[in-house]
Amino acid sequence: MSFDFDFRDLLWLLLPVAAASGWLAARLDLRRHGRQKLDLPAAYFQGLNYLLNEQPDKAIEVFLRVLEVNSETVETHLALGSLFRRRGEVERAIRVHQNLIARPTLDKDQRSKALLELGHDYFKAGLLDRAENLFLELTELRAHSEPALRQLLHIYQQERDWEKAIAVARKLARVSDKNMDAVIAQYWCELAEAAASRGNLGLAREALRDALKADRNCVRASILSGDLALKENDPREAIQRWRHIEEQDPRYLGEVAQRIADAYRQLDDGEGLHDYFRRVHAHGGEHAVALILAGIIRARDGRKAAEHFVIDWLRHRPNVHGLHELISLNLEEVQGQTHRDLMLLKGIIESLREQHQGYVCEQCGFKARKLHWLCPGCNRWNTVRALEDNP
């Protein structure tokens, strides 16, 4: 048996119950103090009538008026506001939480909870300045400093204010006792890219040094450092920076393999080019390395030598990229029907090859055609990888 139950259903169940409990609490309190009773039941049944007549908006307004704010109903108000926000009714969520904060009877903990929820409302509504101010206030309270700092980090990332993001990330690391070095390195890389785009290569170099100081395994910093060296007409330095990726995370070497090959050619160092790619391939380099090496062998030793290399590669590691390369090499030597048959096969392999290209997030499974350092799916850094070779 399955149940089709969503937040809207929960809200309709929660509101009358919450309103009734709020009324009872208020009534008992009035009895205790000998004060005159309020005519709350009439409004309560009026709200139920609106629900039965499928007028939920009017019902909500009635129940919120009935639901007196006191120590027994604060959590209910917080839950209602959060429920509105999750349903996309941010204005109502803001109104509920603002109403809570305006109550002088709230204790310090209740007020801080309401402020945190209101900050979430503002963030969801795109009112980032208001959200930032609330979260900054909450960072001074030990009980809520960690969630407030995390929300500030989201705000500064969205605003691309990387210097503030670095400061907040450092504070969050101290508060949460979690290592934020890899994320901080990414922020420095963002600053480096921005400086390079403005033509300030000196500032970009400093930012990349800070990135590697924060996280010596920051692949992105090594990629950008190599790109920067090449801009400054230093291909040898660029090769050194890119080659450092082997030690950091060899899964990313394919991102710079072609750049390394071009830099060796710029230096007119054919032997260095051949030896480097031979060595990397021998240590299990990915398909981008093997394909470049096939091209190097083709230019250096001829088509037959390249074909033998690709066949040997396929024997040890069957994959569609190598098969596609082998067909391309054989097309140079055949004609007529054989050529047409190979072209047909090549087209089929190209379709299969498309399925093994691109990138995927290891956390949420988001797939993309290009590398994202910050996953658009789950908003996490350093989780996107190139799709692995498959047979």
Side-chain angles (χ1 to χ4, degrees):
M1 179 181 295
S2 64
F3 297 90
D4 184 16
F5 190 81
D6 60 15
F7 284 125
R8 184 179 292 273
D9 300 318
L10 178 61
L11 182 63
W12 302 148
L13 291 174
L14 178 61
L15 270 171
V17 173
S21 63
W23 170 72
L24 285 172
R27 182 169 181 174
L28 289 172
D29 185 65
L30 289 171
R31 280 183 175 179
R32 193 159 42 243
H33 292 85
R35 290 157 59 187
Q36 185 179 357
K37 293 187 292 183
L38 296 175
D39 189 21
L40 293 180
Y44 173 72
F45 288 113
Q46 181 186 18
L48 286 178
N49 186 56
Y50 281 135
L51 281 182
L52 293 173
N53 287 290
E54 298 184 357
Q55 294 176 285
D57 289 344
K58 290 184 178 179
I60 289 171
E61 295 299 331
V62 170
F63 285 134
L64 286 179
R65 287 199 304 270
V66 173
L67 192 56
E68 291 293 325
V69 177
N70 55 50
S71 59
E72 287 81 12
T73 62
V74 168
E75 292 298 330
T76 303
H77 277 84
L78 291 172
L80 284 174
S82 177
L83 198 58
F84 283 137
R85 185 175 65 248
R86 290 198 297 272
R87 290 179 56 202
E89 299 181 55
V90 184
E91 290 184 6
R92 277 181 172 159
I94 290 173
R95 194 159 69 247
V96 169
H97 293 136
Q98 284 179 334
N99 181 54
L100 263 181
I101 293 167
R103 302 290 173 157
T105 55
L106 292 187
D107 61 34
K108 187 176 180 180
D109 182 61
Q110 291 170 335
R111 184 175 184 278
S112 63
K113 286 181 179 179
L115 285 173
L116 186 64
E117 290 297 325
L118 184 58
H120 286 298
D121 297 340
Y122 285 150
F123 182 81
K124 184 73 176 287
L127 304 172
L128 300 186
D129 288 345
R130 295 186 185 182
E132 179 185 3
N133 290 333
L134 286 181
F135 291 133
L136 283 171
E137 179 180 341
L138 289 166
T139 59
E140 302 303 319
L141 303 176
R142 180 176 297 180
H144 299 289
S145 60
E146 185 175 342
L149 287 167
R150 292 193 183 281
Q151 285 303 121
L152 281 173
L153 215 52
H154 289 313
I155 291 172
Y156 295 143
Q157 283 184 183
Q158 191 165 318
E159 294 180 333
R160 302 186 66 80
D161 192 335
W162 305 116
E163 291 180 349
K164 285 185 178 179
I166 290 168
V168 167
R170 286 171 173 166
K171 189 171 183 179
L172 179 58
R174 292 194 297 270
V175 168
S176 65
D177 198 27
K178 292 180 181 177
N179 192 317
M180 298 290 294
D181 292 346
V183 174
I184 291 171
Q186 290 291 335
Y187 296 154
W188 282 118
C189 288
E190 292 285 347
L191 286 169
E193 284 192 337
S197 67
R198 297 191 305 267
N200 193 337
L201 302 188
L203 186 60
R205 272 196 307 274
E206 289 179 16
L208 291 173
R209 278 197 294 268
D210 286 326
L212 288 168
K213 190 183 298 181
D215 177 19
R216 64 179 183 177
N217 290 319
C218 181
V219 170
R220 186 183 182 187
S222 293
I223 292 175
L224 293 174
S225 294
D227 293 343
L228 198 59
L230 202 62
K231 279 185 179 180
E232 297 176 316
N233 298 314
D234 193 348
R236 197 174 301 279
E237 176 68 15
I239 291 171
Q240 183 179 340
R241 296 292 182 179
W242 290 325
R243 286 178 58 166
H244 187 50
I245 296 169
E246 290 179 67
E247 302 170 20
Q248 296 172 318
D249 192 338
R251 292 176 296 177
Y252 285 100
L253 198 57
E255 300 300 315
V256 294
Q258 189 59 57
R259 278 176 261 191
I260 292 173
D262 292 340
Y264 270 114
R265 292 187 180 106
Q266 190 174 335
L267 291 169
D268 196 23
D269 185 2
E271 286 301 315
L273 172 65
H274 178 267
D275 292 347
Y276 172 73
F277 279 90
R278 273 288 189 190
R279 179 182 62 78
V280 174
H281 175 69
H283 285 84
E286 52 184 44
H287 71 265
V289 171
L291 292 174
I292 291 173
L293 181 55
I296 294 169
I297 294 171
R298 172 74 175 82
R300 171 181 162 141
D301 303 318
R303 189 194 65 81
K304 276 292 182 185
E307 183 179 321
H308 289 314
F309 163 74
V310 174
I311 290 172
D312 184 64
W313 172 32
L314 287 170
R315 284 197 184 111
H316 289 89
R317 191 175 183 181
N319 65 91
V320 293
H321 306 289
L323 184 56
H324 183 271
E325 181 68 14
L326 183 60
I327 293 171
S328 298
L329 288 168
N330 277 274
L331 279 170
E332 299 176 17
E333 294 294 314
V334 297
Q335 296 179 345
Q337 186 59 43
T338 303
H339 189 277
R340 289 191 291 273
D341 291 343
L342 281 179
M343 285 298 295
L344 177 62
L345 182 58
K346 184 180 180 182
I348 295 171
I349 297 301
E350 282 175 352
S351 298
L352 292 172
R353 193 182 181 195
E354 283 292 315
Q355 300 175 21
H356 302 295
Q357 291 182 324
Y359 301 85
V360 63
C361 175
E362 294 180 331
Q363 290 293 325
C364 69
F366 176 86
K367 291 184 178 179
R369 300 304 301 172
K370 67 175 185 177
L371 175 61
H372 295 273
W373 296 107
L374 177 64
C375 175
C378 61
N379 206 41
R380 294 187 182 183
W381 293 95
N382 296 319
T383 58
V384 178
R385 306 279 186 262
L387 288 170
E388 296 180 0
D389 294 343
N390 288 300

